[in-house]
Amino acid sequence: SGGPAGAALLGSVQTQSSAVWPSDDGRYLYSTYEALSCNNGEQGHLQVVDLLNPSAPVVVRTITPQSLGLGNSSSFLPQAVGDKLYVTFTGAGLQVFSILNRADPVRTHQFDTTLGTYVSACVGDSVREADGSEGPGRVIVSADRTGLLILDVR
């Protein structure tokens, strides 16, 4: 006996990912990719990965900032709570999605955390965390330039 036991690889999917969060039922994984040079054409995204077969996970949906009308923004942190998915986007703030259909998020709310100080998608305010566990409709957002924001997204 000595060191810790090794982990066993169950499966993988080829994709770029910066942060992940599982759905409440564990069937899906919400994966974001933060493009660090989005002004140079690199694109971030939100992806939904089906984990039904852990040995062969499958990307079932990809949502780009451009498809949401957010230009060259970049996704940062996802958090799924109940039937809501909270995703932060650099330079565009908080995007809230309904995940009644866990495989197909639909945007229902957005909040521009730059509060009028927006410079560009890669420079300016970016949301670093969204916590949707404070009860129905309440989200606490930590933003780089605008501080702590408490939002109602009902």
Side-chain angles (χ1 to χ4, degrees), residues 2-58:
L9 177 65
L10 296 178
S12 66
V13 62
Q14 190 63 34
T15 185
Q16 294 175 303
S17 182
S18 299
V20 295
W21 195 278
S23 60
D24 285 352
D25 61 7
R27 164 80 187 264
Y28 295 96
L29 191 67
Y30 302 103
S31 170
T32 56
Y33 174 62
E34 180 187 20
L36 299 177
S37 59
C38 56
N39 285 332
N40 294 324
E42 185 180 17
Q43 296 182 2
H45 57 252
L46 163 65
Q47 291 185 316
V48 181
V49 180
D50 187 339
L51 301 175
L52 180 62
N53 180 355
S55 65
V58 177

Side-chain angles (χ1 to χ4, degrees), residues 16-154:
Q16 294 175 303
S17 182
S18 299
V20 295
W21 195 278
S23 60
D24 285 352
D25 61 7
R27 164 80 187 264
Y28 295 96
L29 191 67
Y30 302 103
S31 170
T32 56
Y33 174 62
E34 180 187 20
L36 299 177
S37 59
C38 56
N39 285 332
N40 294 324
E42 185 180 17
Q43 296 182 2
H45 57 252
L46 163 65
Q47 291 185 316
V48 181
V49 180
D50 187 339
L51 301 175
L52 180 62
N53 180 355
S55 65
V58 177
V59 175
V60 294
R61 176 97 194 272
T62 297
I63 300 170
T64 65
Q66 294 78 9
S67 72
L68 299 172
L70 303 177
N72 286 335
S73 183
S74 185
S75 57
F76 187 64
L77 289 175
Q79 183 181 34
V81 178
D83 66 353
K84 300 255 188 278
L85 174 63
Y86 305 95
V87 182
T88 59
F89 281 79
T90 304
L94 177 69
Q95 309 299 309
V96 182
F97 297 84
S98 168
I99 50 173
L100 288 172
N101 176 347
R102 303 262 189 260
D104 189 25
V106 175
R107 185 170 57 168
T108 59
H109 295 81
Q110 63 183 4
F111 187 82
D112 179 3
T113 58
T114 67
L115 303 178
T117 62
Y118 180 79
V119 177
S120 78
C122 289
V123 180
D125 197 27
S126 60
V127 179
R128 290 296 165 199
E129 186 171 355
D131 182 352
S133 62
E134 294 300 315
R138 182 182 291 171
V139 181
I140 298 173
V141 177
S142 172
D144 288 347
R145 296 176 67 195
T146 54
L148 183 66
L149 307 171
I150 302 169
L151 308 175
D152 184 345
V153 296
R154 283 178 284 183

